[in-house]
Amino acid sequence: MAIIETEAPLHEAHRDNHTHRDVNGGWLRPAVFGAMDGLVSNLALMTGVAGGAVSQQTVVLTGMAGLAAGAFSMAAGEYTSVASQRELVEAELDVERRELRKHPKDEEAELAALYEARGVEPHLAREVARQLSSDPEQALEIHAREELGIDPSDLPSPTVAAVSSFGSFALGALLPVLPFLLGADALWPAVLLALAGLFLCGAVVAKVTARSWWYSGLRQLALGGAAAGVTYVLGGLFGTAVG
């Protein structure tokens, strides 16, 4: 007897294979870009100083100062930026909360009109709005999502943003300094390590983009290498002029 093999229903196969990348980047994107910023800025700073034909000690001191200054600056900037954004969002949520308390029927009608504008049949839109508006906290969340495009239960943390920015920037900025701390007496090991780090960061960024890992890696390596080369030349020119 012949055995007839049947294929899985199309909708099941589609459900099993249908996946998406994390389009928001989650923690990966800010962490990688913070490290990349530390790498490029500190590498360029150190090569610029080295171009002025200064001592190795000066180059190392410059790198450590750049690491500390950049990391603290990034942390302070991220904290202030995210805190200000959060305060603005919370102020808007307070406005919406007062409107829901003072004019619940108007807000319910506004929600129904929004659903109608999206193609929902008017009677159904009014019924959905009525049911969603029965719980004040749920109503606030729905209005915040629909009108402000935010999730009140998932607001960014200024502290988390500051700490993550500090850590990722410091880690990236440490790479150009690390060979000197391990006993290197020339600039080229620091440059090679930093460029390798730039390639790796670019390759990791490909995880949240549609680009191939080698393209993203080479692009970031080229940009970081160009920045280091330009600052080295400028450092040599300024060193000659000042000297």
Side-chain angles (χ1 to χ4, degrees):
M1 179 182 295
I3 299 176
I4 300 175
E5 295 183 357
T6 59
E7 296 182 356
L10 181 60
H11 70 277
E12 290 186 8
H14 180 73
R15 182 176 64 247
D16 291 340
N17 297 324
H18 187 71
T19 58
H20 289 288
R21 280 186 291 266
D22 179 8
V23 295
N24 291 321
W27 61 269
L28 180 63
R29 187 167 64 96
V32 171
F33 279 102
M36 199 178 296
D37 189 16
L39 256 171
V40 174
S41 62
N42 217 29
L43 175 63
L45 179 63
M46 291 175 65
T47 54
V49 172
V54 297
S55 67
Q56 176 185 326
Q57 183 181 9
T58 301
V59 175
V60 176
L61 181 59
T62 299
M64 294 303 296
L67 185 158
F72 280 110
S73 176
M74 284 285 291
E78 281 294 317
Y79 186 91
T80 302
S81 174
V82 174
S84 299
Q85 179 187 7
R86 186 183 178 109
E87 290 164 1
L88 175 61
V89 168
E90 289 174 343
E92 291 300 312
L93 288 175
D94 286 340
V95 171
E96 193 63 37
R97 190 177 287 109
R98 286 196 301 271
E99 289 299 311
L100 285 167
R101 186 173 62 251
K102 293 180 180 179
H103 310 289
K105 291 300 181 182
D106 291 341
E107 291 296 311
E108 181 181 320
E110 181 180 310
L111 192 59
L114 189 150
Y115 290 140
E116 285 186 46
R118 293 186 176 180
V120 179
E121 190 271 331
H123 175 74
L124 180 58
R126 290 192 296 271
E127 178 62 18
V128 170
R130 184 189 67 78
Q131 293 187 29
L132 292 176
S133 300
S134 61
D135 181 353
E137 287 304 313
Q138 177 178 258
L140 175 64
E141 182 176 340
I142 296 297
H143 280 273
R145 289 178 182 272
E146 297 292 347
E147 298 178 27
L148 302 176
I150 59 173
D151 182 355
S153 63
D154 190 29
L155 297 181
S157 167
T159 302
V160 170
V163 171
S164 61
S165 295
F166 182 96
S168 60
F169 185 97
L171 182 62
L174 178 63
L175 280 186
V177 187
L178 192 58
F180 289 104
L181 298 180
L182 296 177
D185 57 0
L187 182 63
W188 65 265
V191 173
L192 287 181
L193 182 59
L195 292 179
L198 285 169
F199 181 86
L200 179 61
C201 285
V204 173
V205 167
K207 293 293 184 180
V208 290
T209 67
R211 294 288 186 180
S212 60
W213 64 270
W214 59 266
Y215 176 87
S216 296
L218 289 176
R219 179 177 60 181
Q220 194 57 42
L221 186 151
L223 292 173
V230 169
T231 54
Y232 184 85
V233 172
L234 291 176
L237 294 175
F238 292 152
T240 302
V242 172

